[in-house]
């Protein structure tokens, strides 16, 4: 996939961990591209930047985005060009299952909060990815909400970072890094903007995964 597997427009569905696990409760969210460039087969962008039409207020709000800061951040990360800006709108409680995206991503929180689990590409084997060519081949089969170590025993050795994203904060998500995103609050409004930037790095990702150790990482020393 190009940009987003979980957090890509139109209407989509997120599963909720509460009340019966990720397959027990479904909550819907709006996922809509606001600005984008057409992408060629080689991943390059072409033509003028296109914008979702029909809302003068939306156009004015997009003008308030810190585009200069974004470009400077992209240059510092070696992640140009800008490709797409997307809006995410929900009512809280939903979870986007663990997945990776093929492009770098700046995730900006506007309203409400999101809780994230972040894992590097080296943890791929422990997450049991769907086979290449499967419609969900950028998603993990392992269930991080209700782990079943009988069917996914290597998950017990996975190591993740956990954090929260609040309004006014921006998270840098490098391409091919696994992440699970949960909207905090059962019924609170939740709004985010994300910006897909840079090029795909399939060869780099494959090399990282193949060289990842299969043994559990060393444990930190006791405090």
């Amino acid at each position: 996939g190009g940009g987003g597997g979980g957090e890509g427009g139109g209407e989509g569905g997120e599963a909720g961990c509460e009340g019966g696990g990720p397959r027990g409760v479904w909550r819907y969210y709006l996922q809509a591209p606001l600005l984008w460039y057409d992408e060629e087969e080689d991943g390059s962008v072409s033509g003028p930047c296109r914008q979702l039409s029909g809302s003068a207020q939306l156009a004015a709000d997009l003008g308030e985005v810190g585009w200069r800061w974004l470009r400077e951040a992209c240059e510092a990360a070696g992640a140009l060009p800008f490709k797409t800006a997307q809006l995410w709108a929900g009512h809280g409680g939903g979870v986007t299952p663990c997945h990776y995206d093929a492009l770098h991503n700046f995730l900006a929180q506007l309203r409400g909060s999101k809780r994230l689990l972040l894992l590097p590409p080296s943890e791929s084997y422990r997450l049991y990815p769907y086979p290449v060519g499967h419609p969900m081949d950028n998603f993990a089969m392992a269930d991080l909400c209700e782990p079943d170590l009988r069917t996914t025993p290597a998950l017990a050795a996975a190591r993740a970072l956990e954090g929260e994203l609040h309004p006014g904060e921006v998270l840098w998500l490098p391409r091919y890094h696994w992440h699970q995103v949960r909207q905090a609050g059962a019924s609170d409004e939740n709004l985010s903007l994300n910006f897909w930037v840079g090029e795909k790095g399939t060869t780099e990702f494959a090399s990282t995964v193949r060289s990842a150790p299969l043994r559990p990482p060393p444990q930190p020393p006791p405090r």
Side-chain angles (χ1 to χ4, degrees):
E7 269 250 336
E11 189 176 348
E14 288 179 328
C17 282
E18 301 86 358
R23 295 171 183 81
V25 178
W26 286 89
R27 296 175 174 87
Y28 287 92
Y29 63 89
L30 175 69
Q31 176 183 355
L34 304 181
L35 291 170
W36 68 93
Y37 283 97
D38 290 329
E39 189 171 349
E40 303 295 336
E41 290 186 4
D42 62 359
S44 63
V45 296
S46 64
C49 186
R50 301 170 65 183
Q51 179 174 327
L52 186 68
S53 61
S55 172
Q57 183 61 57
L58 177 59
D61 289 344
L62 287 171
E64 297 295 319
V65 171
W67 294 107
R68 180 177 178 181
W69 176 90
L70 179 63
R71 180 170 183 84
E72 291 175 351
C74 289
E75 290 176 346
L80 287 171
F82 163 80
K83 292 194 172 179
T84 306
Q86 288 194 128
L87 173 70
W88 302 86
H91 286 284
V95 175
T96 301
C98 187
H99 68 286
Y100 68 78
D101 300 309
L103 294 177
H104 300 298
N105 178 15
F106 286 97
L107 178 62
Q109 192 67 16
L110 305 179
R111 183 174 295 180
S113 300
K114 283 192 163 111
R115 297 171 184 158
L116 299 103
L117 287 175
L118 309 172
L119 303 96
S122 57
E123 295 288 351
S124 295
Y125 287 121
R126 300 185 178 107
L127 297 174
Y128 298 84
Y130 282 91
V132 174
H134 188 279
M136 295 179 63
D137 62 4
N138 64 320
F139 280 79
M141 290 190 287
D143 187 339
L144 304 191
C145 291
E146 294 185 346
D148 184 350
L149 299 183
R150 296 171 300 173
T151 58
T152 56
L155 182 61
R159 297 294 180 268
L161 293 176
E162 184 174 12
E164 288 198 7
L165 197 63
H166 301 285
E169 296 179 337
V170 179
L171 175 68
W172 163 246
L173 271 172
R175 63 191 178 193
Y176 299 110
H177 278 60
W178 296 89
H179 48 286
Q180 175 181 278
V181 185
R182 179 203 297 258
Q183 296 180 16
S187 59
D188 299 332
E189 287 187 356
N190 204 294
L191 297 175
S192 304
L193 277 178
N194 87 291
F195 303 86
W196 301 115
V197 298
E199 305 289 355
K200 297 179 182 179
T202 308
T203 302
E204 173 191 347
F205 172 62
S207 176
T208 300
V209 171
R210 291 192 188 102
S211 63
L214 296 180
R215 61 183 181 278
Q219 297 297 311
R223 296 181 179 179

